Amino acid sequence: MQQAPASLEVLTVCQHQKRGREVSAHLHLNLAFLLTAPRQGQRLEAKPDENSGVAWLPAGELDRWCTEAEMLPVYHRLLERASAL
């Protein structure tokens, strides 16, 4: 495991609706670390006020499951860095 962050971006988030409430445009600080986990047996837990539908998925299916196209370049860079570990 690396000690330093794998990625740090400042992303623009446009005004949108979230759970029926208006969210104004803002900047999102995205800090990512790469971790490893066993292939089987790891249980995931979602934080309901932050995320939903949390699941393990094959890296090759990322484009199919990502609902935020602007995040795909970030995720692809992280996958490249992870495969180099």
Side-chain angles (χ1 to χ4, degrees):
M1 180 176 91
Q2 292 183 324
Q3 302 266 335
S7 176
L8 174 63
E9 288 95 11
V10 178
L11 307 166
T12 302
V13 178
C14 298
Q15 179 180 358
H16 63 281
Q17 293 277 327
K18 184 174 183 179
R19 294 187 198 97
R21 301 179 97 176
E22 189 76 19
V23 177
S24 61
H26 60 280
L27 295 177
H28 175 84
L29 179 62
N30 191 68
L31 175 66
F33 289 86
L34 295 174
L35 307 170
T36 58
R39 289 197 177 271
Q40 301 294 326
Q42 287 297 110
R43 193 173 85 109
L44 294 176
E45 294 184 31
K47 187 171 183 254
D49 63 331
E50 286 288 327
N51 46 49
S52 62
V54 175
W56 293 110
L57 61 105
E61 294 184 20
L62 176 64
D63 290 14
R64 182 175 146 217
W65 290 99
C66 182
T67 59
E68 299 171 311
E70 65 276 4
M71 290 300 294
L72 281 172
V74 173
Y75 296 151
H76 284 290
R77 280 193 301 274
L78 287 168
L79 285 173
E80 287 175 20
R81 291 176 186 156
S83 66
L85 295 178

